[in-house]
Amino acid sequence: MTERKRTPWVVGVSGASGTPYAASVIRGLLAAGESVDLVVSRASRLTLLDETGIAFRDAHWREDLREWLARGADGKPGTFRVPDGDVRYWAAGDLAAGPSSGSYPVKGMLIVPASTACVAGVALGLSKDLLQRVASVTLKERRRLVVAVRETPLNGQTLKHLVALDEAGAVVLPASPAFYAGATHIQDLVDFVAGRVLDAAGVPHRLYRRWEGELGAGSRPREASGD
């Protein structure tokens, strides 16, 4: 295995609706020159198939990932040019994978989207698959963990789990888009959430228009980001 130039971020994709959020985050990381270790849960494969028509396969993950990242939030193929970058994929059932150990160097982990089942598993330390195991390792090693929970409404038990994650040091980031940035397309709303995930990770990006204290600024045309 070749030595990597940059310490990676782990991106965990759980079974919640919202696979376009994950695609936008991954594109943003690659555009920023970051390395990525990708974990796609078994449940998320069903969601990805339902939302995009893409069957994500272990043996053909590179082709399937490129097709996924090229799609817009509306499902249109070829919407984005996929940035070149350093991506490693780890199967969700591989509990001997590199990121399952605290000695494996990573900057942190971004779970996007995070289902309530995933939230519960991480909060309780179940480690039933690689995604949950890596999240537990991230917390014990005091690394950055961002949990982009995607569910509504939230019941009391899930709220308790989210509080437990917050107390453990995770950033709980609901997948809640804002409208002040002048969204004109579903992709704008997706990119806002993805941008907030990257903000929480400290990764620079140009995915959305930031608030600058000027009312009505969101209604003006936005300059192209080139991303």
Side-chain angles (χ1 to χ4, degrees):
M1 187 174 291
T2 59
E3 184 176 353
R4 306 172 87 171
K5 294 181 179 179
R6 304 194 69 170
T7 302
W9 286 95
V10 179
V11 176
V13 187
S14 80
S17 176
T19 55
Y21 292 131
S24 184
V25 165
I26 297 169
R27 286 193 301 266
L29 288 170
L30 296 179
E34 299 286 344
S35 296
V36 174
D37 277 22
L38 178 64
V39 180
V40 178
S41 77
R42 289 189 175 93
S44 69
R45 293 173 187 240
L46 298 177
T47 308
L48 184 62
L49 180 63
D50 183 56
E51 294 183 345
T52 69
I54 297 171
F56 198 89
R57 302 160 295 174
D58 287 346
H60 303 280
W61 69 267
R62 293 185 186 277
E63 304 97 296
D64 297 338
L65 176 63
R66 181 163 290 275
E67 182 182 357
W68 176 22
L69 297 185
R71 292 190 181 229
D74 58 2
K76 182 179 178 181
T79 299
F80 292 100
R81 179 186 65 81
V82 180
D84 293 326
D86 174 18
V87 180
R88 284 183 184 169
Y89 169 73
W90 303 94
D94 184 6
L95 291 177
S100 68
S101 171
S103 66
Y104 183 89
V106 301
K107 291 182 177 179
M109 183 179 191
L110 316 175
I111 305 179
V112 54
S115 66
T116 54
C118 173
V119 165
V122 176
L124 297 173
L126 298 182
S127 296
K128 73 177 185 66
D129 62 7
L130 181 61
L131 194 157
Q132 291 184 15
R133 169 60 185 168
V134 177
S136 294
V137 168
T138 302
L139 289 175
K140 81 178 182 68
E141 296 294 329
R142 301 297 190 264
R143 295 166 180 160
R144 181 63 57 91
L145 174 63
V146 182
V147 180
V149 60
R150 215 306 307 163
E151 184 62 270
T152 189
L154 296 171
N155 64 31
Q157 199 60 49
T158 297
L159 290 171
K160 291 177 182 177
H161 291 150
L162 292 173
V163 169
L165 289 179
D166 175 78
E167 291 176 343
V171 176
V172 176
L173 196 153
S176 178
F179 294 84
Y180 62 77
T184 59
H185 190 274
I186 186 175
Q187 188 66 52
D188 298 326
L189 300 176
V190 167
D191 286 345
F192 179 88
V193 171
R196 295 299 286 152
V197 171
L198 295 178
D199 287 344
V203 176
H205 66 87
R206 296 180 62 190
L207 287 175
Y208 69 89
R209 187 200 302 266
R210 297 183 182 279
W211 175 252
E212 296 181 347
E214 182 183 355
L215 294 175
S219 63
R220 293 201 298 266
R222 179 186 173 193
E223 294 182 4
S225 67
D227 293 340

